[in-house]
Amino acid sequence: SICSILNGQLASGSTDRSIKIWDVATGAELRTLEGHEDWVMALAALPNGQLASGSCDNSIKIWDVATGAEVRTLEGHEDSVWSLAALPNGQLASGSDDHTARAWDLRRKCEAYTLPAHSALIADVRWAPASGEALITGAFDGSCRVWRHRDWALLNDLNAHDGKCMSCDFGPNLDDGVLVTAGYDRTFKLWAGGEDGLGGYR
């Protein structure tokens, strides 16, 4: 897993259980973050200069990128954490091999909600980037689902792929209702939404 962070830096997670911080301009390794007990599968940059990491040890860790110190560990998933997505207001979403997506309130330092979202591993989670009013989840059951953030109502259930849905995201115009999904069936698909930008996909 790779994600960009502040000040021209890049974070990478590995099967060696570590996270490395790199200077993009020079290619130099700046520091190594160690603490996970299994593969690091997911990374998400947080708005306060911190970094979230998800692992096959079932945990999510929050790191201070500047110092390399571990800030806290979030526990609750019963299997590997495969995907993470963050909002500027301190909300973090995670997807797991336990078939749940979870929302975390990083300001209150607790889990906010558990969503029994799918019948298989959740490979990707993404917030609606402009508003944060929706979360999409893509899973190995082939589906991509759209959830309303305020009450976790299921807005749409897309039978996206024949086999595993590997990734999903909102379109380039943020919350205009366009989604993209990519599958293990070697296809990617664009989905057009309804007028509210959240449901009504086809």
Side-chain angles (χ1 to χ4, degrees):
S1 179
I2 296 175
C3 77
S4 62
I5 50 182
L6 298 175
N7 303 320
Q9 296 177 7
L10 190 73
S12 62
S14 172
T15 58
D16 68 6
R17 308 179 183 182
S18 76
I19 302 157
K20 292 187 181 293
I21 308 299
W22 307 86
D23 185 307
V24 174
T26 66
E29 179 185 329
L30 300 177
R31 64 190 55 86
T32 298
L33 313 181
E34 294 181 313
H36 280 297
E37 297 177 358
D38 210 329
W39 296 3
V40 178
M41 302 298 297
L43 297 171
L46 304 178
N48 56 2
Q50 295 181 339
L51 178 72
S53 61
S55 170
C56 289
D57 65 12
N58 307 352
S59 76
I60 300 165
K61 290 185 182 292
I62 309 298
W63 307 86
D64 185 318
V65 174
T67 65
E70 180 182 326
V71 177
R72 72 181 61 91
T73 298
L74 305 176
E75 296 181 322
H77 280 297
E78 297 177 1
D79 212 323
S80 303
V81 179
W82 276 64
S83 51
L84 294 171
L87 283 174
N89 66 359
Q91 293 283 315
L92 181 71
S94 58
S96 170
D97 202 2
D98 65 9
H99 308 174
T100 71
R102 295 177 190 240
W104 307 85
D105 188 330
L106 298 182
R107 293 178 179 175
R108 297 175 57 194
K109 305 177 183 178
C110 67
E111 180 181 329
Y113 196 80
T114 299
L115 192 63
H118 289 272
S119 60
L121 181 154
I122 298 176
D124 208 0
V125 292
R126 302 279 180 164
W127 293 108
S131 66
E133 292 181 356
L135 179 75
I136 53 174
T137 57
F140 280 14
D141 59 13
S143 68
C144 177
R145 292 175 177 164
V146 184
W147 309 87
R148 188 166 56 206
H149 185 190
R150 65 177 179 270
D151 59 3
W152 298 112
L154 177 61
L155 298 177
N156 212 295
D157 186 356
L158 307 177
N159 185 17
H161 293 278
D162 296 327
K164 303 169 183 176
C165 179
M166 303 299 295
S167 60
C168 55
D169 205 351
F170 285 85
N173 296 319
L174 302 180
D175 294 0
D176 64 355
V178 174
L179 298 181
V180 61
T181 61
Y184 199 69
D185 57 7
R186 302 181 181 181
T187 69
F188 72 91
K189 299 180 181 181
L190 292 173
W191 305 85
E195 293 181 359
D196 62 0
L198 298 177
Y201 290 92
R202 63 184 187 275

